[in-house]
């Protein structure tokens, strides 16, 4: 879920962790290396260049504000070219993206709310980022993967929404977590459309002013906290199915590049760090470990497709990523009956010490994963 929100207590407790998890803390000064400098403050978004040559573009982001922020490069219709979430106060992030000629906006979102503070930039020239046959193969493979995930998700969603519409609480509970796996594996692609994620995957504390709460988490609350499905919840079931059918139809038109795949893998680890490890994402059902595993699987799929390219450019990086993915997956396996099952331990049964182990494993993977996009474009 893109719109990650923090309570005051949570924000204070997690800023330091976000720095490690998102790979934002950089000691080196990025000025003078050709990157577009983006300085995010609580009331401004300063961009060093408003005219950028097409191709591989690197943003060097520094958060000089007092709030956790997000930085986006957006198409004119608000579709996402690339993004980096959870950039803590006083930290930096580097974002590599493949951008074609056109008009775009760079948006900083202090507090990770609203439409953000925006600057228009022109990407000029007919030059496109160089694409090797291996890159084309990786993109084609990932496009097939995300479409398959959407196609396989719809029947599972229908089983869930049919149970909700019928008022069958127990059947809906059983179908809930499984209906989310394909979405969680490919969430960065779904979020790139801009309008679907707020309809289907927003939590109550992530709602914008005037936004009606719909989607999975609205029904999750009804099922596990209220333990009943009234007329309002039953009416939301076909809406969720319709919104996810829209997602399924639009996945094939998504903008996918090698850098968006690499950045998306990193975004999925950020999702784990800020929503799953904390227990905030599935706060009523406590099915966080199902989402956790799906996020990791999606990140690993992107990595495996890009690995032949990255290995040529940085073999030490891919060796580290192989090791850290294996370590995290081994740890996750201890919370389920077998490696083929998604019957994970309820997250409210996972103690603080074990959550710390999970967090440490995510951090260990997130650091090298933050370098994948740069390795792919060397």
């Amino acid at each position: 879920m893109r719109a990650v929100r923090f309570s005051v207590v949570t924000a204070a407790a997690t800023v330091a962790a976000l720095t490690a998890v998102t790979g934002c803390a950089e000691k080196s000064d990025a000025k003078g290396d050709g990157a577009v400098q983006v300085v995010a403050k609580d009331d401004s978004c300063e961009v060093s260049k408003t005219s950028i040559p097409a191709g591989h573009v690197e943003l060097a982001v520094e958060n000089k504000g007092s709030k956790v922020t997000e930085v986006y490069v957006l198409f004119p219709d608000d579709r996402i070219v690339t993004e980096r979430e959870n950039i803590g106060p006083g930290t930096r992030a580097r974002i590599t993206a493949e951008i074609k000629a056109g008009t775009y906006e760079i948006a900083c979102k202090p507090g990770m709310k609203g439409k953000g503070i925006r600057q228009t930039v022109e990407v000029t020239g007919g030059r496109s980022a160089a694409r090797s046959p291996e890159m084309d193969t990786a993109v084609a493979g990932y496009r097939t993967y995300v479409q398959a995930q959407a196609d396989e998700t719809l029947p599972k969603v229908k089983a869930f929404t049919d149970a909700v519409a019928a008022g069958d609480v127990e059947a809906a509970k059983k179908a809930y977590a499984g209906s989310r796996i394909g979405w969680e594996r490919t969430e960065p692609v779904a979020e790139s459309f801009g309008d679907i994620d707020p309809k289907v995957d927003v939590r109550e504390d992530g709602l914008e002013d005037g936004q009606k709460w719909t989607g999975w988490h609205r029904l999750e609350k009804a099922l596990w906290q209220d333990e009943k499905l009234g007329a309002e919840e039953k009416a939301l079931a076909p809406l969720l199915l319709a919104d996810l059918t829209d997602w399924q139809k639009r996945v094939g038109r998504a903008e996918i590049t090698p850098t968006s795949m690499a950045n998306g893998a990193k975004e999925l680890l950020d999702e784990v760090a800020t929503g799953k490890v904390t227990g905030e994402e599935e706060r009523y059902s406590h099915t966080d470990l199902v989402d956790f595993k799906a996020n990791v699987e999606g990140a690993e799929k992107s990595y495996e497709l890009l690995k032949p390219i990255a290995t040529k450019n940085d073999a030490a990086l891919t060796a580290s990523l192989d090791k850290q993915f294996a370590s995290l997956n081994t740890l996750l396996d201890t919370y389920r009956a077998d490696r083929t099952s998604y019957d994970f331990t309820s997250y409210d049964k996972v103690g603080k010490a074990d959550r710390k182990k999970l967090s440490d494993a995510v951090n260990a993977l997130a650091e090298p994963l933050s370098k994948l996009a740069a390795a792919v474009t060397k």
Side-chain angles (χ1 to χ4, degrees):
M1 182 192 67
R2 173 155 49 96
V4 179
R5 304 293 180 236
F6 294 87
S7 67
V8 174
V9 173
T10 303
T14 59
V15 165
L18 289 172
T19 298
V21 169
T22 60
C24 293
E26 297 181 2
K27 295 180 181 179
S28 61
D29 188 348
K31 294 181 180 179
D33 66 357
V36 179
Q37 309 296 315
V38 180
V39 178
K41 300 179 181 178
D42 293 346
D43 57 0
S44 66
C45 186
E46 301 169 7
V47 178
S48 65
K49 301 175 184 179
T50 56
S51 180
I52 307 167
H56 287 127
V57 176
E58 187 164 23
L59 306 183
V61 181
E62 183 175 6
N63 184 1
K64 290 188 175 181
S66 63
K67 303 174 182 178
V68 176
T69 196
E70 301 170 331
V71 173
Y72 294 81
V73 179
L74 300 166
F75 289 102
D77 61 1
D78 271 10
R79 285 178 298 124
I80 298 169
V81 180
T82 191
E83 65 178 304
R84 180 60 58 84
E85 302 176 355
N86 304 308
I87 305 173
T91 65
R92 294 173 177 166
R94 293 182 78 89
I95 311 168
T96 301
E98 183 178 324
I99 307 181
K100 300 175 183 178
T103 301
Y104 300 85
E105 289 184 317
I106 293 177
C108 305
K109 294 189 179 183
M112 301 193 295
K113 275 197 168 187
K115 293 182 68 65
I117 304 164
R118 302 189 176 199
Q119 299 287 345
T120 300
V121 295
E122 296 292 333
V123 178
T124 60
R127 174 176 173 268
S128 297
R131 283 273 189 94
S132 66
E134 292 88 352
M135 287 182 174
D136 288 337
T137 298
V139 169
Y142 190 65
R143 191 176 293 282
T144 298
Y145 174 73
V146 296
Q147 185 66 64
Q149 291 302 308
D151 293 345
E152 292 167 12
T153 294
L154 260 292
K156 297 176 182 179
V157 171
K158 189 173 188 305
F160 171 64
T161 55
D162 282 353
V164 171
D168 190 335
V169 171
E170 291 308 311
K173 283 183 175 181
K174 289 179 181 178
Y176 172 77
S179 75
R180 292 175 48 74
I181 291 172
W183 172 273
E184 290 291 336
R185 286 174 176 157
T186 61
E187 194 166 4
V189 175
E191 289 178 349
S192 71
F193 300 121
D195 61 332
I196 298 178
D197 182 82
K199 296 177 183 177
V200 305
D201 200 29
V202 71
R203 301 194 301 260
E204 187 171 17
D205 50 349
L207 295 170
E208 301 291 349
D209 292 342
Q211 180 184 351
K212 182 181 178 181
W213 192 17
T214 60
W216 270 302
H217 295 301
R218 170 67 182 83
L219 296 173
E220 178 203 6
K221 182 180 181 182
L223 289 167
W224 275 274
Q225 179 169 293
D226 303 334
E227 296 189 333
K228 62 180 181 180
L229 295 165
E232 181 180 348
E233 290 77 27
K234 292 177 183 179
L236 290 176
L239 181 59
L240 175 61
L241 181 61
D243 287 336
L244 289 168
T245 301
D246 183 26
W247 160 59
Q248 178 205 25
K249 292 177 179 177
R250 289 162 67 177
V251 158
R253 304 194 299 271
E255 292 277 344
I256 297 175
T257 67
T259 53
S260 75
M261 290 168 60
N263 290 329
K266 180 62 171 59
E267 290 163 28
L268 286 169
L269 262 290
D270 293 347
E271 288 280 337
V272 173
T274 59
K276 283 68 175 186
V277 169
T278 62
E280 292 182 75
E281 180 80 359
E282 306 290 358
R283 60 190 64 174
Y284 308 109
S285 65
H286 304 301
T287 56
D288 302 88
L289 286 174
V290 177
D291 291 0
F292 190 137
K293 179 62 175 177
N295 285 160
V296 173
E297 287 175 335
E300 191 166 16
K301 181 65 176 182
S302 291
Y303 165 60
E304 290 294 343
L305 289 167
L306 294 169
K307 182 178 174 180
I309 306 160
T311 299
K312 288 181 180 180
N313 297 330
D314 193 340
L317 176 65
T318 56
S320 176
L321 285 167
D322 286 344
K323 176 182 176 182
Q324 299 304 336
F325 267 116
S327 178
L328 180 55
N329 280 318
T330 297
L331 181 57
L332 281 170
D333 285 343
T334 66
Y335 294 96
R336 58 179 175 171
D338 61 74
R339 295 183 65 179
T340 62
S341 168
Y342 275 83
D343 184 16
F344 281 88
T345 301
S346 181
Y347 203 58
D348 58 335
K349 306 299 183 186
V350 179
K352 288 184 180 180
D354 287 332
R355 292 190 185 197
K356 176 65 164 54
K357 290 179 183 177
L358 288 165
S359 178
D360 288 347
V362 171
N363 289 350
L365 173 58
E367 192 279 327
L369 196 59
S370 69
K371 301 175 182 177
L372 181 59
V376 167
T377 59
K378 277 185 179 178

